[in-house]
Amino acid sequence: MDKVKVLAQYLPPDAAPLISRWIDYFVCEFKVSRNRGTKFGDYRHPYGDKGHRISVNYDLNPYAFLVTTVHEFAHLHTWNEHKNKAKPHGTEWKANFKRMMQPFFEKEIFPPDVKQAITNYLNNPAASSCSDLNLYRSLRQYDAQKESIVTVEKLPAKAVFKLKDGRVFRLEEKVRKRYRCVEISSKRLYLFSPVAEVELVQD
C-alpha cells in the first residue's frame, strides 16, 4: 500500500507526503506502534545491522501523532549531526525540532491553539519533551472522548480511581506540580502527573 495513504490514516492528510519523504530521505524504519502508557513515540539510533528506527503510538489523534513524529525525526537529525554529543532535548534538538516543524506551520496544518502551544514550547528552553503540560493539554482537546476516562487534575478531592492494570488509588493532595495518591491495597504513596489518564471508580 502507498506509504502516503497509510500515513494519512494517522496524520493530518496534508502532512503525510512530507513525512513519507523524510522516511525515505533518512532511510528510517518507521513503525506505527501499540499504545505505550509511558511514551507517545520512540527513536533508536543505528546500532549493529539496524538503521534509524522511529515508532509512534497508533492511538494518538492526528495532531498529536504529527507532533510526536516530528519530535522523533528531530532526534534522528540531531543524532546524524552530533551522534551522542548532544543532550536528548538540548539546544541542538530544539533547533532541529523548530526547523522541522516550520513546513507544517506554513501549510497551516495545526489549529491555532495547538500552533500557539507548540510555539510557546519552542520558545521555552526550560521545557522538556512531552512534559510540557500546556502542549499536552492542547493536543488532548482533539482526542476522541472516552467514557469514564479522566485526567488526575480533573478528579474531585478524595476521588477513587483505577489504572489500566487494575490497581486502585485514592487522590490525596497536590504536591507542587504533581498529585500524591495512595494505593488502596498496599497503602503505598505514589506521585501522579496532572495529565495522567485514569478511570474514575464510582461509589
Side-chain angles (χ1 to χ4, degrees):
M1 192 174 179
D2 179 71
K3 197 155 57 238
V4 174
K5 287 182 180 175
V6 174
L7 288 167
Q9 296 174 26
Y10 301 96
L11 293 160
D14 287 348
L18 181 53
I19 297 300
S20 175
R21 289 200 295 275
W22 285 0
I23 292 170
D24 292 339
Y25 177 79
F26 289 110
V27 193
C28 173
E29 179 187 316
F30 189 90
K31 180 181 176 185
V32 179
S33 173
R34 61 182 171 75
N35 174 284
R36 293 162 292 187
T38 56
K39 58 186 174 183
F40 298 148
D42 186 59
Y43 165 68
R44 301 291 173 94
H45 62 70
Y47 180 79
D49 60 348
K50 294 185 181 296
H52 296 292
R53 286 158 291 156
I54 286 174
S55 59
V56 180
N57 293 5
Y58 81 96
D59 57 350
L60 299 178
N61 72 56
Y63 303 123
F65 196 100
L66 178 55
V67 170
T68 303
T69 297
V70 178
H71 179 119
E72 304 306 338
F73 268 106
H75 281 306
L76 183 160
H77 194 26
T78 305
W79 193 90
N80 274 350
E81 291 177 331
H82 305 281
K83 300 300 186 281
N84 292 320
K85 293 176 182 174
K87 290 182 180 178
H89 298 111
T91 53
E92 298 88 354
W93 173 83
K94 271 192 179 293
N96 283 329
F97 186 46
K98 196 171 193 173
R99 195 177 304 117
M100 297 175 91
M101 192 60 78
Q102 202 56 43
F104 306 105
F105 281 179
E106 290 168 3
K107 287 177 178 286
E108 299 193 353
I109 299 284
F110 295 105
D113 59 327
V114 173
K115 182 178 179 179
Q116 187 60 53
I118 296 169
T119 302
N120 292 345
Y121 166 58
L122 287 169
N123 290 335
N124 177 10
S128 65
S129 72
C130 295
S131 66
D132 185 82
L133 296 183
N134 289 330
L135 176 54
Y136 182 82
R137 287 185 185 111
S138 74
L139 289 168
R140 277 199 78 247
Q141 310 251 42
Y142 297 89
D143 286 353
Q145 293 303 308
K146 304 175 207 168
E147 288 293 328
S148 76
I149 299 297
V150 66
T151 55
V152 169
E153 67 184 351
K154 298 284 178 63
L155 291 169
K158 300 296 180 183
V160 176
F161 63 90
K162 67 179 180 179
L163 304 182
K164 287 179 182 175
D165 62 10
R167 289 187 295 158
V168 179
F169 296 81
R170 184 176 64 248
L171 178 67
E172 293 296 325
E173 60 186 340
K174 188 173 183 180
V175 184
R176 297 179 68 185
K177 292 183 178 179
R178 296 201 279 177
Y179 288 81
R180 182 178 287 142
C181 305
V182 62
E183 185 180 12
I184 302 296
S185 62
S186 68
K187 308 299 185 202
R188 290 179 63 187
L189 291 170
Y190 291 83
L191 289 175
F192 279 78
S193 161
V195 293
E197 293 186 349
V198 299
E199 184 176 350
L200 184 61
V201 175
Q202 304 295 341
D203 294 333

